[in-house]
Amino acid sequence: MTDTADAVATPGSTLGAMPPGTRRERRRREAAARPWWHTAVVYQVYPRSFSDSNGDGIGDIPGITSRLDHLAELGVDVIWLSPVYRSPHDDNGYDISDYTDVDPAFGTLADLDHLIAEAARRDIGIVMDLVVNHTSDEHEWFRDSRSSADSAKRDWYWWRPARPGTTVGEPGAEPTNWGSFFSGSAWQLDEETGEYYLHLFSRKQPDLNWENPEVRGEIYSMMRWWLKRGIAGFRMDVINLISKRLGVDGVPGSLADGAPRADGWGNGFPQFVDGPRTDAFLAEMHQQVFDAFPGTYLTVGETPGVTLEQARSYTDPANREVDMVFQFEHMALDAGVGGKFDPRPLHLPDLKANLARWQHGLAETGWNALYWDNHDQPRIVSRWGDDGEHRVSSAKTLATVLHLHRGTPYIYQGEELGMPNAGFTSLAQYRDLESLNYAADAERLGIDEETLLRGLAAQSRDNARTPVPWDASTNAGFTTGEPWIDMTPGWETVNAEAARADQGSVFHHYRRLVELRHDDPVVVDGAFELLAPEHEQLWAFTRTTDVARLIVLANLSGQELAVDLAEIGLDGGADLREVAVASHAEASRPDGEGRLVLRPWESVVFRRSA
Ligand code: TEU
Ligand code: CA
């Protein structure tokens, strides 16, 4: 695929020079001081479930464009668009068969250009999802690669013969014992050529071989092609899995087995997470794609299993790799011995300690990406909040503590409405490949139906993938057809129209948090300090610059909580008066003795000059 690099357009540039005073013009001013994405807030759209414009029950790009005013009112700066590329949708688009075309289910390239232009008119950039650890098995590259062992593209993927001393196709003949992320082996036998190909995710998602420079070259030119269309950057799918550890047993190109997992397959993480050439590949990508446009684009790597040290290396501006990464340590804090579908209660001090460690770990070098929700995680208000009596205040308080941490916050569609989990009660309601594969494996693992349904109800990715409720009309205005997946109950009252009309709603709380990040440098730059780390209900921390200090006090329980401010290291607590943002209309304030009583799930952020 050839391209002329110099023709790259400035993100959303169809509108030419920016009128003074626009957010982007302010960003240009601030860019001198810091990268624009330090003050940005990103909103993730999962196209399949956002808004359907043609009544086929599947969300699409014109549907997204029709809802841009909702995002403009929320004040977000960037939309992260989950994949809309041509795809057989085995994994809802994370299995791409053509990187430079839009899937008809979502619309056309012209629809996407229109979305980019309409978003730019509202000062919103579009970040695309880059899924290049693997392609679809229906991508022409893989069709060519599997066509014969002598294919010129054979080495574009990971092909291996059966394990020595075994019979092809027999259990145990897989080249390594690695298990896939989606249950079962990570290897699939190709009957035609009698060899196995690697797929860390589904069989229809064969891994690309990044060791091959031709593969990397094709990917970089594809990325430059998208930059020309005026996008604002990339979210990079499982980007720390692209370098596999080779020859650990001294045999060139060999791949080593992993220690047994709960499901009996091997844990290959040590062989493909943060592999030996990941930094080099990311640096080469930056040099080939972004170097010519310093400070223009936002790049965020999705990096399951990443360590803090490795994240600091990936996000160190001096290394010119990526701007930030999504870490997953906090997302595993409620996983039991049986894994994610064996949930256990969260111990709040663990969560506070984890985020604090990443705050301090990337304080000098690197930058955090902050999130509770995305299309792979259950909804936070049900997971670690209270989606019953205290749904609104717990959603607000969870938003406050996340958005007041240092880093770039990500809001997932519906999170700004305080949407709860899907509440599915039967297996038939689930659509997600990971959940269905796990369910299919449950019997072998001795998991009974009731335990399975409980685990899925708590942790399935489908909890995040039900349609966004826009109003109280049929199917909450998501579609005039039959939704591809069931609606989350309660949409008659929990919907965007109702939330925008109610100043006390979760929506307007998120709008205020976005505003605070845009207007108050302490939110962006303030040094982070956790208070009362062992407290099991209170989440308290400060953000301090030489100008001012923000004091965040949040009650993450359904009971009233009395806090002695001096006891948690807040001297002069009694004079905390100025409230920057609060979960309740009438924010609780300290009494004369510096004692503060917080209502269930109440949070208050005080501001005082340094
Ligand atoms: O997710 C990678 C990833 O880490 C998740 O699969 C995660 O392990 C799992 O969902 C948690 O249970 C990315 C995409 O975000 C996901 O939607 C894709 O399915 C996956 O990569 C493969 O592209
Ligand atoms: Ca549609």
Side-chain angles (χ1 to χ4, degrees):
M1 176 177 171
T2 57
D3 65 299
T4 50
D6 57 7
V8 168
T10 307
S13 65
T14 50
L15 295 163
M18 277 152 267
T22 64
R23 223 180 297 143
R24 181 145 320 128
E25 196 250 345
R26 184 191 60 221
R27 241 190 254 148
R28 186 185 296 285
R29 265 201 322 276
E30 286 163 353
R34 63 162 94 80
W36 64 266
W37 35 267
H38 275 199
T39 61
V41 176
V42 181
Y43 185 97
Q44 180 192 359
V45 168
Y46 192 71
R48 210 176 173 79
S49 308
F50 194 66
S51 189
D52 173 23
S53 69
N54 62 355
D56 64 355
I58 298 174
D60 48 53
I61 295 170
I64 301 170
T65 306
S66 73
R67 303 291 183 180
L68 284 174
D69 289 342
H70 173 82
L71 303 183
E73 184 177 350
L74 192 56
V76 298
D77 306 280
V78 171
I79 291 173
W80 153 23
L81 191 57
S82 274
V84 292
Y85 315 93
R86 262 187 196 282
S87 168
H89 297 288
D90 184 54
D91 185 19
N92 289 0
Y94 281 90
D95 50 314
I96 298 170
S97 54
D98 182 342
Y99 287 108
T100 55
D101 195 9
V102 167
D103 192 89
F106 294 134
T108 65
L109 270 174
D111 291 331
L112 187 54
D113 291 342
H114 182 59
L115 170 63
I116 293 170
E118 283 300 306
R121 233 158 44 70
R122 296 165 176 82
D123 268 337
I124 298 176
I126 302 288
V127 160
M128 295 288 282
D129 210 314
L130 181 76
V131 186
V132 290
N133 171 71
H134 45 267
T135 68
S136 165
D137 65 348
E138 298 183 27
H139 192 293
E140 61 171 342
W141 296 347
F142 188 71
R143 289 179 187 284
D144 187 337
S145 183
R146 78 180 312 164
S147 64
S148 86
D150 313 321
S151 154
K153 286 194 170 48
R154 191 68 168 180
D155 187 40
W156 283 42
Y157 294 84
W158 294 88
W159 290 96
R160 289 287 187 280
R163 177 188 294 270
T166 66
T167 309
V168 172
E170 292 304 307
E174 298 84 5
T176 72
N177 67 352
W178 300 348
S180 156
F181 277 76
F182 295 156
S183 303
S185 171
W187 294 92
Q188 175 65 30
L189 174 62
D190 172 63
E191 305 286 351
E192 294 301 304
T193 58
E195 288 193 327
Y196 294 79
Y197 66 85
L198 177 66
H199 61 88
L200 294 182
F201 294 91
S202 88
R203 288 197 187 90
K204 290 184 68 59
Q205 291 168 301
D207 280 52
L208 280 166
N209 175 13
W210 274 69
E211 301 296 321
N212 183 326
E214 287 178 341
V215 169
R216 302 197 306 269
E218 271 298 328
I219 290 169
Y220 303 152
S221 57
M222 174 266 286
M223 294 173 74
R224 288 191 295 266
W225 185 86
W226 278 108
L227 294 186
K228 263 192 235 150
R229 304 191 88 87
I231 65 168
F234 288 102
R235 174 266 187 189
M236 304 180 184
D237 192 60
V238 288
I239 203 66
N240 68 328
L241 307 187
I242 59 181
S243 167
K244 280 54 171 179
R245 206 172 294 287
L246 297 168
V248 281
D249 57 3
V251 180
S254 68
L255 297 164
D257 281 341
R261 296 189 323 189
D263 64 358
W265 290 101
N267 171 15
F269 269 40
Q271 308 309 324
F272 54 70
V273 171
D274 300 328
R277 299 182 71 191
T278 312
D279 284 289
F281 290 154
L282 291 177
E284 180 189 63
M285 175 197 280
H286 197 290
Q287 190 271 328
Q288 296 276 322
V289 178
F290 303 110
D291 263 13
F293 318 98
T296 304
Y297 298 104
L298 180 160
T299 56
V300 54
E302 184 212 23
T303 51
V306 74
T307 62
L308 178 53
E309 294 62 38
Q310 189 59 64
R312 193 179 301 123
S313 168
Y314 292 148
T315 63
D316 179 347
N319 293 343
R320 303 171 82 78
E321 298 179 20
V322 292
D323 299 323
M324 60 191 100
V325 296
F326 293 123
Q327 63 105 348
F328 285 75
E329 292 177 350
H330 61 315
M331 288 289 123
L333 292 175
D334 55 358
V337 288
K340 70 174 269 182
F341 294 115
D342 171 23
R344 65 177 181 181
L346 173 75
H347 180 57
L348 183 62
D350 294 348
L351 178 61
K352 298 192 291 183
N354 178 268
L355 293 195
R357 196 168 70 82
W358 282 80
Q359 289 286 292
H360 295 300
L362 300 182
E364 305 311 319
T365 305
W367 187 255
N368 276 290
L370 308 170
Y371 72 98
W372 286 144
D373 283 1
N374 61 37
H375 61 294
D376 291 336
Q377 303 296 334
R379 294 211 174 257
I380 199 66
V381 74
S382 296
R383 188 179 190 177
W384 294 337
D386 170 345
D387 60 10
E389 180 192 357
H390 299 291
R391 181 185 69 80
V392 171
S393 45
S394 68
K396 291 179 176 181
T397 288
L398 285 161
T400 296
V401 291
L402 185 79
H403 283 242
L404 269 290
H405 275 70
R406 189 168 182 277
T408 297
Y410 288 72
I411 303 172
Y412 178 65
Q413 65 184 44
E415 188 183 342
E416 82 279 15
L417 305 178
M419 273 184 80
N421 274 345
F424 290 173
T425 53
S426 78
L427 201 49
Q429 293 178 283
Y430 289 95
R431 299 283 177 277
D432 169 37
L433 170 71
E434 180 191 50
S435 299
L436 295 175
N437 284 7
Y438 177 75
D441 208 20
E443 199 168 325
R444 182 180 70 82
L445 299 171
I447 297 166
D448 61 58
E449 174 95 1
E450 194 226 333
T451 306
L452 171 66
L453 287 174
R454 194 173 50 249
L456 290 175
Q459 292 287 340
S460 170
R461 306 190 303 176
D462 279 337
N463 282 307
R465 299 175 179 191
T466 57
V468 170
W470 294 102
D471 55 41
S473 67
T474 311
N475 292 324
F478 166 73
T479 180
T480 55
E482 186 57 35
W484 71 276
I485 188 170
D486 290 351
M487 307 288 298
T488 295
W491 50 267
E492 299 81 355
T493 51
V494 180
N495 62 63
E497 186 179 63
R500 286 165 61 180
D502 167 6
Q503 282 304 315
S505 68
V506 179
F507 175 87
H508 287 294
H509 186 76
Y510 271 90
R511 188 179 54 68
R512 280 190 286 277
L513 288 171
V514 173
E515 206 165 54
L516 192 62
R517 177 169 290 275
H518 287 159
D519 300 343
D520 187 339
V522 180
V523 174
V524 177
D525 295 326
F528 175 91
E529 187 196 357
L530 180 65
L531 306 175
E534 296 316 316
H535 202 299
E536 304 212 353
Q537 290 82 37
L538 176 69
W539 196 333
F541 59 92
T542 60
R543 303 285 311 281
T544 309
T545 65
D546 49 16
V547 178
R549 162 172 288 185
L550 290 169
I551 297 104
V552 180
L553 298 163
N555 173 9
L556 273 76
S557 76
Q559 289 71 45
E560 199 173 73
L561 178 65
V563 184
D564 178 321
L565 298 174
E567 208 177 81
I568 66 170
L570 273 178
D571 310 332
D575 65 6
L576 289 179
R577 285 279 157 265
E578 183 192 347
V579 172
V581 67
S583 57
H584 290 55
E586 281 313 306
S588 298
R589 295 163 186 278
D591 62 20
E593 275 77 52
R595 198 165 165 280
L596 174 69
V597 178
L598 292 170
R599 284 158 280 187
W601 292 103
E602 179 178 9
S603 54
V604 188
V605 180
F606 294 101
R607 190 177 203 285
R608 73 178 170 200
S609 43

